[in-house]
Amino acid sequence: MLCLNPVPRSFYDRDTITVAHDLLGAFLVHDVAGEVRVGKIVEVEAYLGETDLAAHSSKGLTPRTRILFGPPGFAYVYLIYGMYFCMNVVTEREGSACAVLLRALEPVQNVSERTRGPGLLCRAMGIDLHHNGQDLESRDFFIAPRDDYAPHQVVARPRIGVAYSGIWAAKPLRFYLKGNPYISKK
């Protein structure tokens, strides 16, 4: 039986890489007009604040990036390529501008569309710009803890689509559950 209660804000108010690892196996929950959609998080990418040239926050505090600067435990949702939404969870203390991008989900409940990739994940879960800045402790949009705390093997790889970021492109800041068939790319 799933524990469909939000993780506390303190879950997000920690080191970003630790949060990224702990998100693996947790559940993204979204109530879309009375239909509760649930997906198990199986792939994420960490973004480490203003010094990380792949992070949106590397450009500093702007109207677009304001959510990234905290407090932790809020959704940062943005549009890419004019057609796909991507969702991050804001981490660390207020002002650090760190976040974790959700890259792939394993469908659990009421999720029938593809979820391999951040844009497909958002489409399947009904996430769009209206969710930017939403508190992840809300009752209709949140992350619930893992229901199985058996050890799982985490794979670390370079992030995807950030070649423009110089040395940051090669850093192993993408994490996924080894052997899970729903990851976006090995």
Side-chain angles (χ1 to χ4, degrees):
M1 183 71 175
L2 294 176
C3 173
L4 295 178
N5 292 306
V7 297
R9 188 157 327 281
S10 59
F11 175 90
Y12 306 102
D13 191 9
R14 302 179 294 148
D15 171 75
T16 301
I17 293 174
T18 300
V19 174
H21 281 258
D22 289 350
L23 282 168
L24 295 172
F27 299 93
L28 178 61
V29 180
H30 187 203
D31 184 332
V32 181
E35 176 185 74
V36 179
R37 298 180 189 182
V38 181
K40 180 183 199 179
I41 300 167
V42 298
E43 183 181 1
V44 298
E45 287 181 353
Y47 288 87
L48 305 179
E50 291 183 271
T51 60
D52 180 345
L53 297 180
H56 289 176
S57 57
S58 69
K59 305 292 187 223
L61 180 62
T62 67
R64 179 184 186 194
T65 64
R66 182 187 57 76
I67 299 300
L68 284 171
F69 284 82
F74 287 79
Y76 170 58
V77 180
Y78 59 92
L79 183 67
I80 59 169
Y81 311 127
M83 60 192 290
Y84 295 111
F85 299 104
C86 294
M87 178 188 162
N88 292 257
V89 297
V90 177
T91 60
E92 298 194 24
R93 72 188 185 298
E94 192 162 353
S96 67
C98 297
V100 177
L101 172 68
L102 304 183
R103 283 203 54 83
L105 295 177
E106 179 179 324
V108 173
Q109 178 180 307
N110 295 323
V111 179
S112 57
E113 297 179 48
R114 294 182 304 150
T115 57
R116 293 180 183 124
L120 294 173
L121 175 159
C122 284
R123 182 180 295 156
M125 292 296 290
I127 298 168
D128 60 26
L129 288 179
H130 292 99
H131 298 94
N132 187 41
Q134 186 162 346
D135 189 342
L136 292 172
E137 285 190 313
S138 67
R139 293 303 315 155
D140 63 347
F141 185 58
F142 60 91
I143 292 174
R146 292 174 53 189
D147 63 344
D148 172 14
Y149 286 92
H152 54 241
Q153 191 168 3
V154 174
V155 177
R157 294 280 188 265
R159 294 175 291 191
I160 296 171
V162 295
Y164 58 85
S165 65
I167 62 169
W168 286 92
K171 293 189 182 286
L173 295 171
R174 180 171 61 98
F175 308 103
Y176 61 84
L177 295 177
K178 184 176 183 176
N180 188 284
Y182 291 94
I183 63 168
S184 66
K185 181 179 180 181
K186 286 187 177 184

